[in-house]
Amino acid sequence: MNRFQKQNKCKQFLRAFPLSIVAFIGILIAFIYGISNVADSDTLNEKALLEDALQRNIVHCYAVEGAYPPSLSYIEDHYGLLYNKDKFLISYENIGSNLLPVVHVIER
């Protein structure tokens, strides 16, 4: 094509337009996927931190009082355990005052 021929800019725009839409959608999908992975790993970390806090509070109670806590509400009231009750369910089974309780943290 030489400089005296008229270029059809409309056709060039229409050829590039679908490519830019596909690229935008691809980037958007990658962004959403990345955000969901971060949210999932954050929930796993939160669960691990809750399990660790429970064990520390149980052992601390045994060290201070000479007996394991009788219930989960006792730990919440006397040792200040706070957690998201809408997100996690804690199964607390006290076997005896001198045996370590069985604790399970379950994600809802």
Side-chain angles (χ1 to χ4, degrees), residues 53-65:
L54 272 168
Q55 287 298 339
R56 279 186 283 121
N57 285 330
I58 290 169
V59 171
H60 181 73
C61 177
Y62 186 76
V64 171
E65 299 178 15

Side-chain angles (χ1 to χ4, degrees), residues 31-55:
F31 180 74
I32 291 171
Y33 179 74
I35 293 292
S36 68
N37 281 346
V38 169
D40 291 343
S41 67
D42 187 42
T43 301
L44 290 175
N45 289 338
E46 191 175 349
K47 181 180 176 185
L49 288 172
L50 178 58
E51 290 171 345
D52 186 48
L54 272 168
Q55 287 298 339

